């Protein structure tokens, strides 16, 4: 073997022995080792140590919005780290990048979302929103308002609170010890939502949390008037509306934030992922001016909630540069245009391949569902086979099989070109064709 082959083999063994992977089959990792050990990325492409190049059709974890290998972000990080990498933001301490990023985000967000609490990622952002909502009602003299309503097929993260709010049953079954006061309702049924509120008692509900487009749950796009009805229900019963824009924020759907498609402004908006395009960990919660004013007026002591890296100077500097790139390169509009192209092409695949039962998407979030020749679910699901075949052909996508779904999901970087979108469609079509012929005919 060459030295490089020896090095790769050594890393594979070290991976199996020492690296407990997130959201991975432990058995598969131990038997097969890492599928890829990536070492470089450029644009929409990733290359592993063996020289294999793949299109990153998922923006890694829905987050590499401006693509891989952006030296501008590396330079921003280096410049800020050389001046001040980190300092605490507790006890009114602050730093320039955190202040400027908070202002920039609220300028981009729909009014009246005017204040930002920074976290290190999406799970922390959602947990923060639940805690702020409950704290808000304590200050308002309504301590019984502590229940959070979430939806089926939702995903809000894997910290304890975020897991407890996640509607994908498998994540909640990972540990049977969940946080209390989380309730679930069918993801698009406002009648069921109203009935649940009435059954639990409106005076006990702190907030409703919802993704504008359900991402990890299979890219489920809300019906046209769904969120307007949800907002009306929240207003009627005095309940806060929290939107989880961890995936949909910063251009992913063809607008800066997903809720803009529905003309609804939440009381709190969680964000992460695209804020730095994954180059550094950062997330947060925006709150409305009314909530911020109430917190200022009613609070008498310390806000006893904060993460070590809340307002991390270097992370915020990268966030500012990332937003600058999104604006400069008109990536929100590109996400809209390429998303329309992607959805139209997926409809064409549906017309060509009989196992594709449905196609849906918004901006650069898209999904295909699969059924067998009798229009029944495949047993076992077909999407993992398509995922593996697509990887062989040079495309990273995602298979969703939770909640009895059989779905392939795509979410490429917002920098993707028309020609690169066509490459994704070609590879995916060939992968589906191969699986359809080899496995199910």
């Amino acid at each position: 073997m060459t030295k490089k082959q020896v090095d790769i083999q050594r890393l594979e063994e070290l991976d199996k022995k020492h690296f407990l992977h997130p959201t991975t089959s432990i058995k598969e990792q131990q038997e097969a080792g890492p599928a890829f050990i990536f070492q470089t990325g450029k644009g929409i492409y990733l290359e592993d140590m063996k020289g294999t190049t793949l299109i990153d059709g998922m923006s890694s974890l829905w987050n590499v919005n401006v693509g891989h290998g952006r030296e501008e972000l590396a330079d921003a990080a280096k410049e800020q780290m050389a001046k001040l990498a980190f300092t605490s933001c507790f006890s009114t301490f602050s730093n320039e990048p955190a202040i400027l990023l908070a202002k920039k985000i609220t300028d981009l967000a729909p009014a009246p979302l005017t204040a930002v609490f920074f976290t290190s990622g999406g799970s922390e952002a959602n947990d923060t929103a639940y805690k702020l909502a409950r704290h808000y009602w304590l200050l308002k003299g309504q301590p019984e308002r502590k229940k959070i309503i979430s939806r089926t097929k939702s995903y809000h993260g894997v910290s304890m609170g975020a897991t407890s709010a996640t509607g994908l049953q498998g994540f909640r079954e990972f540990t049977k010890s969940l946080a209390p006061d989380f309730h679930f309702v069918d993801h698009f049924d406002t009648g069921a939502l109203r009935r649940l509120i009435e059954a639990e008692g409106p005076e006990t509900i702190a907030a409703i949390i919802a993704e504008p487009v359900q991402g990890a749950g299979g890219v489920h796009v809300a019906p046209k008037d769904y969120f307007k009805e949800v907002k009306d229900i929240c207003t009627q019963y005095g309940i806060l509306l929290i939107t989880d824009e961890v995936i949909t924020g910063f251009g992913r759907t063809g607008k800066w934030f997903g809720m803009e498609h529905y003309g609804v402004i939440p009381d709190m908006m969680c964000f992460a992922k695209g804020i730095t395009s994954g180059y550094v960990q950062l997330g947060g919660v925006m709150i409305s001016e009314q909530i911020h004013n109430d917190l200022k007026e009613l609070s008498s002591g310390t806000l006893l909630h904060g993460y070590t890296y809340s307002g991390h100077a270097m992370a915020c500097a990268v966030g500012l540069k990332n937003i600058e790139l999104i604006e400069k390169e008109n990536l929100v509009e590109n996400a809209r245009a390429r998303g329309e192209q992607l959805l139209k092409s997926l409809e064409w695949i549906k017309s060509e391949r009989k196992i594709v039962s449905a196609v849906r998407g918004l901006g650069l979030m898209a999904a295909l569902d699969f059924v067998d020749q009798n229009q029944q679910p495949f047993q076992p699901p077909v999407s993992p086979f398509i995922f593996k075949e697509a990887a062989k052909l040079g495309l990273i996508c995602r298979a969703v099989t939770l909640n009895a779904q059989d779905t392939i999901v795509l979410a490429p970087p917002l920098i993707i070109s028309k020609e690169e979108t066509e490459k994704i469609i070609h590879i995916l079509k060939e992968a589906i064709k191969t699986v359809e012929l080899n496995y199910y005919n």
Side-chain angles (χ1 to χ4, degrees):
M1 291 193 295
T2 66
K3 182 181 182 301
K4 186 172 185 178
Q5 289 172 325
V6 172
D7 289 342
I8 292 171
Q9 188 177 69
R10 178 175 176 273
L11 286 173
E12 289 172 341
E13 291 304 315
L14 290 174
D15 183 282
K16 289 191 285 186
K17 185 175 182 179
H18 298 293
F19 187 4
L20 185 61
H21 285 245
T23 316
T24 295
S25 166
I26 296 176
K27 183 177 180 181
E28 182 179 349
Q29 179 198 358
Q30 290 306 304
E31 290 178 349
F36 301 98
I37 302 177
F38 292 115
Q39 63 175 356
T40 61
K42 191 68 176 177
I44 69 166
Y45 297 96
L46 290 168
E47 183 177 327
D48 76 350
M49 292 190 70
K50 297 178 181 178
T52 304
T53 300
L54 300 99
I55 295 174
D56 186 0
M58 281 303 302
S59 301
S60 288
L61 283 175
W62 318 82
N63 58 342
V64 189
N65 286 11
V66 301
H68 297 279
R70 300 302 300 259
E71 294 184 5
E72 302 97 323
L73 299 184
D75 291 341
K78 179 181 178 181
E79 180 181 349
Q80 183 59 45
M81 290 174 76
K83 292 191 298 183
L84 176 69
F86 167 77
T87 185
S88 168
C89 289
F90 288 20
S91 303
T92 75
F93 293 3
S94 196
N95 65 75
E96 184 178 12
I99 295 168
L100 295 180
L101 182 59
K103 172 64 164 62
K104 183 63 178 180
I105 295 171
T106 56
D107 286 345
L108 293 172
L113 294 167
T114 58
V116 178
F117 185 100
F118 286 114
T119 70
S120 301
S123 292
E124 287 184 1
N126 284 315
D127 272 13
T128 295
Y130 313 145
K131 290 180 72 175
L132 286 178
R134 288 163 170 166
H135 180 67
Y136 173 78
W137 290 119
L138 285 173
L139 294 178
K140 296 283 282 185
Q142 300 182 54
E144 67 280 4
R145 282 191 181 266
K146 55 186 179 180
K147 296 174 184 175
I148 308 292
I149 296 178
S150 184
R151 305 183 299 155
T152 58
K153 299 183 180 179
S154 65
Y155 178 81
H156 298 294
V158 293
S159 57
M160 186 56 73
T163 294
S164 301
T166 289
L168 297 170
Q169 187 69 29
F171 286 94
R172 301 205 308 278
E173 290 177 348
F174 178 78
T175 171
K176 294 296 185 180
S177 180
L178 297 170
D181 296 317
F182 287 89
H183 300 266
F184 298 90
V185 69
D186 183 87
H187 65 154
F188 292 145
D189 189 339
T190 54
L193 174 62
R194 188 181 294 276
R195 290 191 294 273
L196 177 61
I197 292 169
E198 292 286 352
E200 293 294 326
E203 71 282 357
T204 71
I205 311 298
I208 295 168
I209 184 164
E211 301 158 274
V213 179
Q214 292 181 312
V219 184
H220 298 283
V221 183
K224 180 181 177 182
D225 294 324
Y226 171 78
F227 278 110
K228 288 184 179 179
E229 294 174 16
V230 170
K231 181 64 175 179
D232 288 344
I233 290 171
C234 288
T235 300
Q236 177 184 347
Y237 293 110
I239 296 168
L240 300 178
L241 176 60
I242 304 167
T243 54
D244 179 348
E245 297 255 11
V246 170
I247 288 175
T248 54
F250 301 97
R252 171 61 54 191
T253 67
K255 292 186 180 291
W256 275 102
F257 297 98
M259 287 303 289
E260 295 180 67
H261 290 279
Y262 309 108
V264 170
I265 301 173
D267 300 290
M268 299 185 190
M269 181 185 287
C270 302
F271 63 87
K273 294 188 184 291
I275 179 65
T276 65
S277 290
Y279 279 67
V280 65
Q281 304 93 323
L282 185 64
V285 183
M286 284 180 271
I287 62 174
S288 70
E289 186 173 23
Q290 180 62 57
I291 291 176
H292 193 205
N293 287 338
D294 285 344
L295 291 176
K296 288 186 286 186
E297 179 182 343
L298 299 173
S299 295
S300 58
T302 300
L303 180 68
L304 291 174
H305 178 71
Y307 301 102
T308 298
Y309 299 117
S310 291
H312 191 285
M314 183 271 285
C316 290
V318 173
L320 282 165
K321 178 58 69 172
N322 180 69
I323 291 173
E324 180 184 314
L325 292 177
I326 294 173
E327 291 181 315
K328 179 181 177 182
E329 298 174 11
N330 203 21
L331 296 185
V332 178
E333 169 59 22
N334 192 62
R336 183 201 64 78
R338 299 287 68 78
E340 290 181 358
Q341 176 192 356
L342 180 62
L343 196 59
K344 183 178 180 180
S345 297
L346 293 179
E347 290 284 0
W348 171 70
I349 290 178
K350 178 177 179 290
S351 70
E352 293 277 316
R353 305 265 47 107
K354 56 191 175 186
I355 66 171
V356 180
S357 62
V359 168
R360 58 185 173 274
L362 184 64
L364 283 173
M365 298 176 69
L368 305 91
D369 291 335
F370 301 92
V371 291
D372 66 18
Q373 296 175 23
N374 298 316
Q375 299 300 299
Q376 297 299 313
F378 281 108
Q379 295 297 334
V382 69
S383 54
F385 295 110
I386 295 170
F387 162 79
K388 290 180 179 179
E389 189 63 31
K392 292 178 186 177
L393 298 173
L395 170 67
I396 298 171
C397 53
R398 187 171 188 170
V400 177
T401 59
L402 291 172
N403 284 47
Q405 297 181 94
D406 195 2
T407 303
I408 286 289
V409 168
L410 291 166
L414 309 192
I415 60 167
I416 193 168
S417 68
K418 181 178 180 180
E419 293 73 25
E420 289 168 337
T421 304
E422 290 174 355
K423 287 183 182 180
I424 287 180
I425 293 302
H426 174 75
I427 292 173
L428 187 59
K429 179 189 175 184
E430 290 302 309
I432 294 172
K433 178 181 178 181
T434 298
V435 170
E436 186 178 86
L437 293 176
N438 292 348
Y439 290 89
Y440 296 103
N441 266 359

